[in-house]
Each structure stands twice: as C-alpha cells, then as structure tokens.
Amino acid sequence: MSVAAVHLGLYEKALPPSLGWHERLSMARELGYAFMEMSIDETDQRLARLDWTRDERRALRLLVEDSGLAIPSICLSAHRRFPFGSADPAQRERAGEIMLKAIDLAQALGVRTLQLAGYDVYYEPSTPDSLARFRDGLARAADLASAAQVMLAVEIMDRPLMGSITKWLAWKRDIPTPWFQVYPDLGNLSAWGANVPDELARGIGHIVAVHVKDTRPPAGSDPGQFKCVPFGEGCVDFAAAFAALKRLGYRGAFLVEMWAEASADPCGAAAAARRFVLGKLQEADW
C-alpha cells in the first residue's frame, strides 16, 4: 500500500458552513480528499437533517454520485445535547428518537458508520446512575443498528470516560455485537497521555476508522485543547501512530478533523492539513 492509496477524508466542519452540499463535495474533491464525514451535531440546523424528506435524501445521494466523493460516515454528536444518561426522561426519549432517525437516515443515504460521542452526559453531572442509563442507551442503540446493518462506532473522546481504547473495551464487553465498534481519535488518545501504539494494538480488531487531529494535553489547572490545534503544534506523534497502524495491518480510512472557524482560509488550511498528514504517512513508510 502506498500513500497515494490511503483513504483520506475530510470532516464536514473543516469547510465553511455557508457552502451547500454540491459546493462542499466539489471543494473536498478539489482539495484531494477521497470522502467526507457528515456532522449531525446538537444545533437545530444540523438536527433538522434527521427529518429530511425522501426528495432531500435522494438529492444528496445524486450529488454524491455525481461528485464521486462518498459520505460513508456521520459524526452523530447530537447526543451531547440529548444524552442517553440524562436524569430527565424527556431528554432520554429524545436521545432514543435521534438514534432511530439517524439509523434510518444512514440507511437512506448509504452511510455505513454512525460515530457516537462517548459521553454519558455533557451538561449534567456524571453519576453512577447516568452511567447505567448510558449503558442501557448504548445497548438499545446497538440492537437497532444491528438489525439495520449500520455500524455504531464510539469515538475516543475529550473527556476521561471514553479517553482510551482500553476504556472503550470495557463497554464492548457488555455490548458484544459486531455492529458496535471503536473510532479512535489520535489527538484525544495522545492528550490523555495514552501509549498510542499500545492502545491501537489493543483495539485493532475493532477500529472502523481513525480521526486525525492535533491536541494539547491537560496539565494542572490547564484543561488542554482538544480542537483547533494547528497540525504539528500539539502533542501528537503522528509518524509513530501511523507506523503502529501499518505494523498492525490497518488498512482503513483516516479522517482529517478540523474546524473552519479556526482559520481565515479554511480551504487553504484543509489543503495544508492533507499535505501534512500525507507527509507523516510517508515518514511512517506507508
């Protein structure tokens, strides 16, 4: 496998939100990316995608076909606002509804993977009860996804609960379905001080894709920085992580995760990020 054959994608939020899907897909392809990851986050604007009509879904499928750029995954971070672990039954009901609609949307669009955020709660205190509710919610979600043949993949997160693949594996033992897997984020793994090659080795049989971003670790009262860190200015040893993945036989996708608001020139930043990542892959002898 050569660097030219690496399946490298771009997060939707790396490009200006003012772009329509035709422009967004065309721009990502012009920048040299092979696919794009859609976001359904906690904003009303992106949550509305869950209620797209048949015609709206068909329109996006046609744009994908015409562009030649796939959307194989959705970052479903809407559960940050409506978490499975909430003490509020109405919030939990909404979390379940979001999950059902997201699986339905994934089937309609041909999306293969729904990435879930590894938070029991985000705007509430985490408690043993919230963790138990989160476990129940994940198990129900995995049952639904299994029936629909849609992959659920939990991201390694910017909070300790799901801050390593080792921690995710404890949840996997409770949810053994093959439709429940892990989506490591090299930045988050590194920021929590994990031995990244060892962590990747522990999870290699369960990794569906890999998020690529830089981070700065927490230290004392400093909470660290888990997003919008320019590539090469954080703590991630990309070459070591890529080398470990190659040794382990990983042949899956890499997703460049970045945010348009971090740059005055988002397209230029996305192009530079691609060059940086490909350079590190070459350094790791891909």
Side-chain angles (χ1 to χ4, degrees):
M1 188 174 187
S2 69
V3 168
V6 169
H7 204 52
L8 185 63
L10 184 66
Y11 188 38
E12 174 193 341
K13 290 186 179 182
L15 299 179
S18 58
L19 297 180
W21 276 106
H22 173 74
E23 298 167 296
R24 192 175 287 131
L25 291 167
S26 297
M27 180 58 67
R29 187 178 65 176
E30 287 175 18
L31 292 169
Y33 287 95
F35 70 95
M36 176 162 277
E37 184 167 274
M38 179 189 287
S39 167
I40 297 180
D41 60 19
E42 59 188 298
T43 63
D44 290 338
Q45 178 186 12
R46 288 194 171 96
L47 279 167
R49 293 171 175 178
L50 296 173
D51 295 310
W52 274 346
T53 65
R54 177 189 289 185
D55 286 344
E56 288 173 310
R57 296 175 180 199
R58 183 185 296 117
L60 182 56
R61 289 200 307 270
L62 290 174
L63 285 174
V64 166
E65 183 178 333
D66 289 344
S67 72
L69 200 82
I71 303 177
S73 57
I74 294 174
C75 177
L76 183 65
S77 57
H79 288 117
R80 188 162 78 165
R81 178 177 171 190
F82 301 103
F84 287 122
S86 177
D88 181 350
Q91 294 277 71
R92 298 199 299 275
E93 183 177 354
R94 180 72 169 121
E97 178 184 279
I98 286 168
M99 196 71 256
L100 272 171
K101 289 184 174 182
I103 291 171
D104 181 67
L105 180 65
Q107 285 185 300
L109 295 179
V111 167
R112 297 188 290 275
T113 299
L114 290 174
Q115 178 210 301
L116 300 183
Y119 304 123
D120 57 335
V121 289
Y122 192 83
Y123 299 110
E124 304 173 34
S126 180
T127 67
D129 286 342
S130 70
L131 289 170
R133 291 189 291 262
F134 178 54
R135 183 177 287 104
D136 289 345
L138 281 183
R140 289 195 303 273
D143 285 346
L144 294 168
S146 298
Q149 294 184 302
V150 172
M151 184 68 70
L152 296 187
V154 179
E155 183 182 10
I156 299 306
M157 298 305 300
D158 56 354
R159 288 194 173 183
L161 174 65
M162 209 74 73
S164 68
I165 294 173
T166 298
K167 290 181 176 180
W168 173 80
L169 283 167
W171 296 85
K172 174 65 175 176
R173 285 191 285 273
D174 288 342
I175 307 173
T177 170
W179 298 97
F180 180 73
Q181 302 292 354
V182 68
Y183 197 139
D185 182 305
L186 298 181
N188 293 343
L189 273 175
S190 301
W192 290 119
N195 183 312
V196 174
D198 285 354
E199 284 292 305
L200 294 170
R202 290 187 184 103
I204 189 60
H206 303 287
I207 295 172
V208 299
V210 175
H211 266 171
V212 181
K213 74 175 186 209
D214 219 337
T215 51
R216 296 191 179 105
S221 60
D222 180 354
Q225 186 175 347
F226 288 85
K227 61 183 288 187
C228 300
V229 176
F231 282 97
E233 297 183 17
C235 65
V236 181
D237 187 340
F238 291 101
F242 293 151
L245 286 165
K246 184 181 180 186
R247 285 195 305 273
L248 293 165
Y250 179 75
R251 295 297 181 266
F254 295 98
L255 190 282
V256 173
E257 189 177 29
M258 52 196 307
W259 290 263
E261 65 266 26
S263 173
D265 177 14
C267 293
R274 180 177 178 274
R275 290 192 298 271
F276 177 90
V277 173
L278 291 178
K280 291 298 180 181
L281 284 162
Q282 283 186 316
E283 192 178 325
D285 202 26
W286 278 69

